[in-house]
Each structure stands twice: as C-alpha cells, then as structure tokens.
Amino acid sequence: SNGHIKVLVCTATLAWGVNLPAHAVVIKGTQIYAAKRGSFVDLGILDVMQIFGRAGRPQFDKFGEGIIITTHDKLSHYLTLLTQQNPIESQFLESLADNLNAEIALGTVTNVEEAVKWISYTYLYVRMRANPLVYGISHKAYQMDPSLEKHREQLVIEVGRKLDKARMIRFEERTGFFSSTDLGRTASHYYI
C-alpha cells in the first residue's frame, strides 16, 4: 500500500481477493483450466469485471486502466460483454428450500409470516420487483400486489410443503408454523 511493489503477478483466484491500490490491471490470456471439465474454458465476464475492479480504486487513485489480452476470435466476445449492461438475476429460487430449512433449523424463521419477511431481505426480492416477468410474475399480478407479498407467501408455502414431504421440517399449514426435525437440522448443519 506504500507503493514499494510495482508489479504483482497472480492467478485469477488470487486476483479476486487482492485489495491493494493498483493503477492498471492486465489480464494476460482468457483461458483457464477447469478441473471439473478437464479442459480449458473462457474466463467468465464476472471474473473479468472483478479483476478489473482492482484498478483505480477511488480511495487510492483518480482513475484506473484495464487491459485484456486474448485471442483475436475472442476479442469481440469480451468487448460485447464489457460494453453491455445486463442485469444480474437472482438464482436464489433454486436453493430456496435449503436456505429456508437452514433458517428454520436456526430458529430465525418459525412461521410463514416470518419467512415471507425473510425473503424481503434477499436479492431475489429486489430482482422480482425490478423484473417480475423473469420470475413468472405477470404484469397484472404485480400491479395488484406491488410488494409481492402474496407471491412470496405462495413461494414459502410451496417450499414448506416440499420440506415437510422430505421430512426436513414439520409444516402445519392451518396455523402456518414450521418446526425443525432431526433430519432437517442434520441436513442444515452438514450442508446436505
């Protein structure tokens, strides 16, 4: 941070965590080895943006530079990705059951009403309100319920039924109360 090190060379993984004042960032090559696939894959745009974000930190510099060195056939791909502003959508629905089970096991959510409120603290809720069609919410439904309370309640009830069927929780639909089971607590504790 005193400026003694003029050049830092690191892997993409390390670049995610570097919080040093850098004026310029150079990404030399956009192919990274993916062990799961057993082959090289293109560096994702989120990785590129995160690494470029290290350049020109406002508290250290007035501006920064980001340079990407890639093959000619990938150049237009990265230019397009860097100049487009596509919103990032939430993927939370895919793991809503696991997360609700964890909240019930912790005791922070004990009923449908608390679960509906809990969802309102998530990025999913932010994106559902900003772009309801992506999440299967019609324009008419959104107009009738702009806070999406009914939609959130329906999501919680569906997930509650699934967790109850899987014996992770006990869901008393009549009262709306959740209670954790040994299986649910174990699954939550060990991330199963």
Side-chain angles (χ1 to χ4, degrees), residues 2 64 69 133 137 155 157 178:
N2 291 333
I69 301 171
L133 290 173
I137 304 165
L155 283 174
I157 290 169
F178 300 123

PDB file of all heavy atoms in Angstrom, residues 2 64 69 133 137 155 157 178:
ATOM      1  N   ASN A   2       2.126   1.129   0.349  1.00  0.00           N
ATOM      2  CA  ASN A   2       3.057   2.273   0.284  1.00  0.00           C
ATOM      3  C   ASN A   2       3.654   2.462  -1.103  1.00  0.00           C
ATOM      4  O   ASN A   2       4.413   3.396  -1.322  1.00  0.00           O
ATOM      5  CB  ASN A   2       4.189   2.095   1.296  1.00  0.00           C
ATOM      6  CG  ASN A   2       3.689   2.209   2.718  1.00  0.00           C
ATOM      7  OD1 ASN A   2       2.692   2.876   2.970  1.00  0.00           O
ATOM      8  ND2 ASN A   2       4.353   1.549   3.650  1.00  0.00           N
ATOM      9  N   GLY A  64      -8.328   4.287 -13.290  1.00  0.00           N
ATOM     10  CA  GLY A  64      -7.563   3.062 -13.477  1.00  0.00           C
ATOM     11  C   GLY A  64      -7.664   2.576 -14.910  1.00  0.00           C
ATOM     12  O   GLY A  64      -8.484   3.060 -15.688  1.00  0.00           O
ATOM     13  N   ILE A  69      -5.787  -9.235 -22.679  1.00  0.00           N
ATOM     14  CA  ILE A  69      -5.058  -9.809 -23.811  1.00  0.00           C
ATOM     15  C   ILE A  69      -5.689 -11.167 -24.088  1.00  0.00           C
ATOM     16  O   ILE A  69      -5.667 -12.061 -23.244  1.00  0.00           O
ATOM     17  CB  ILE A  69      -3.553  -9.958 -23.491  1.00  0.00           C
ATOM     18  CG1 ILE A  69      -2.949  -8.596 -23.158  1.00  0.00           C
ATOM     19  CG2 ILE A  69      -2.819 -10.625 -24.652  1.00  0.00           C
ATOM     20  CD1 ILE A  69      -1.534  -8.657 -22.615  1.00  0.00           C
ATOM     21  N   LEU A 133     -41.382 -10.408 -14.702  1.00  0.00           N
ATOM     22  CA  LEU A 133     -41.657 -11.409 -15.736  1.00  0.00           C
ATOM     23  C   LEU A 133     -40.639 -12.543 -15.730  1.00  0.00           C
ATOM     24  O   LEU A 133     -40.981 -13.699 -15.988  1.00  0.00           O
ATOM     25  CB  LEU A 133     -41.714 -10.755 -17.121  1.00  0.00           C
ATOM     26  CG  LEU A 133     -42.920  -9.841 -17.381  1.00  0.00           C
ATOM     27  CD1 LEU A 133     -42.784  -9.131 -18.705  1.00  0.00           C
ATOM     28  CD2 LEU A 133     -44.215 -10.625 -17.312  1.00  0.00           C
ATOM     29  N   ILE A 137     -43.947 -13.786 -12.783  1.00  0.00           N
ATOM     30  CA  ILE A 137     -44.979 -12.928 -12.196  1.00  0.00           C
ATOM     31  C   ILE A 137     -45.548 -12.048 -13.305  1.00  0.00           C
ATOM     32  O   ILE A 137     -44.814 -11.281 -13.929  1.00  0.00           O
ATOM     33  CB  ILE A 137     -44.398 -12.045 -11.069  1.00  0.00           C
ATOM     34  CG1 ILE A 137     -43.723 -12.917 -10.009  1.00  0.00           C
ATOM     35  CG2 ILE A 137     -45.483 -11.174 -10.450  1.00  0.00           C
ATOM     36  CD1 ILE A 137     -42.819 -12.152  -9.066  1.00  0.00           C
ATOM     37  N   LEU A 155     -44.665 -18.845  -2.538  1.00  0.00           N
ATOM     38  CA  LEU A 155     -43.349 -19.493  -2.622  1.00  0.00           C
ATOM     39  C   LEU A 155     -43.018 -20.219  -1.320  1.00  0.00           C
ATOM     40  O   LEU A 155     -42.575 -21.373  -1.326  1.00  0.00           O
ATOM     41  CB  LEU A 155     -42.240 -18.459  -2.887  1.00  0.00           C
ATOM     42  CG  LEU A 155     -42.087 -17.910  -4.288  1.00  0.00           C
ATOM     43  CD1 LEU A 155     -41.030 -16.809  -4.300  1.00  0.00           C
ATOM     44  CD2 LEU A 155     -41.727 -19.004  -5.265  1.00  0.00           C
ATOM     45  N   ILE A 157     -45.087 -21.306   1.034  1.00  0.00           N
ATOM     46  CA  ILE A 157     -45.987 -22.450   1.246  1.00  0.00           C
ATOM     47  C   ILE A 157     -45.547 -23.643   0.399  1.00  0.00           C
ATOM     48  O   ILE A 157     -45.481 -24.775   0.889  1.00  0.00           O
ATOM     49  CB  ILE A 157     -47.456 -22.057   0.977  1.00  0.00           C
ATOM     50  CG1 ILE A 157     -47.937 -21.112   2.084  1.00  0.00           C
ATOM     51  CG2 ILE A 157     -48.351 -23.285   0.878  1.00  0.00           C
ATOM     52  CD1 ILE A 157     -49.272 -20.439   1.816  1.00  0.00           C
ATOM     53  N   PHE A 178     -43.764 -23.604  11.360  1.00  0.00           N
ATOM     54  CA  PHE A 178     -42.711 -24.534  10.974  1.00  0.00           C
ATOM     55  C   PHE A 178     -42.013 -25.027  12.228  1.00  0.00           C
ATOM     56  O   PHE A 178     -41.797 -24.261  13.164  1.00  0.00           O
ATOM     57  CB  PHE A 178     -41.633 -23.841  10.122  1.00  0.00           C
ATOM     58  CG  PHE A 178     -42.122 -23.239   8.838  1.00  0.00           C
ATOM     59  CD1 PHE A 178     -41.919 -21.890   8.577  1.00  0.00           C
ATOM     60  CD2 PHE A 178     -42.739 -24.007   7.872  1.00  0.00           C
ATOM     61  CE1 PHE A 178     -42.328 -21.321   7.388  1.00  0.00           C
ATOM     62  CE2 PHE A 178     -43.163 -23.448   6.679  1.00  0.00           C
ATOM     63  CZ  PHE A 178     -42.956 -22.095   6.436  1.00  0.00           C
TER      64      PHE A 178
END
